[in-house]
Amino acid sequence: MRLRVEFTTEPFDLDEVPPHAVTARETVQAAPLDSVDVGPFGNTAEGGAEAVLEAVDRLLRSSLEAGATRISLQVSVVGEAEA
């Protein structure tokens, strides 16, 4: 099974990237995922189910430790037509 996770961390800071956002980005970029798209207002990563679920666990833990006060995420099963 393939999964896609979309996430944001808060609080936002338009002047400087907050430590929790840097941590989130580094966490997903270091994970063994097939694709990672990091943007200023949302992030997406995709890969095998185990890799995505492990990355989400690390993302939640590390971002909260780095000061995130809210993490919004959505996990979707990627169908064969989307893969």
Side-chain angles (χ1 to χ4, degrees):
M1 176 186 319
R2 292 183 53 76
L3 299 176
R4 177 183 303 131
V5 60
E6 300 171 60
F7 65 93
T8 58
T9 61
E10 295 179 38
F12 294 112
D13 185 341
L14 296 177
D15 295 325
E16 186 176 322
V17 180
H20 60 80
V22 172
T23 298
R25 178 182 68 220
E26 291 173 349
T27 299
V28 295
Q29 288 175 329
L33 302 171
D34 299 332
S35 67
V36 175
D37 182 24
V38 177
F41 300 108
N43 310 283
T44 305
E46 189 174 305
E50 272 308 305
V52 170
L53 294 173
E54 288 175 15
V56 166
D57 178 60
R58 286 191 307 274
L59 167 78
L60 293 171
R61 293 174 190 276
S62 64
S63 297
L64 290 168
E65 287 176 10
T69 58
R70 179 180 181 146
I71 303 168
S72 301
L73 66 91
Q74 177 175 308
V75 177
S76 303
V77 174
V78 178
E80 290 300 316
E82 297 179 63

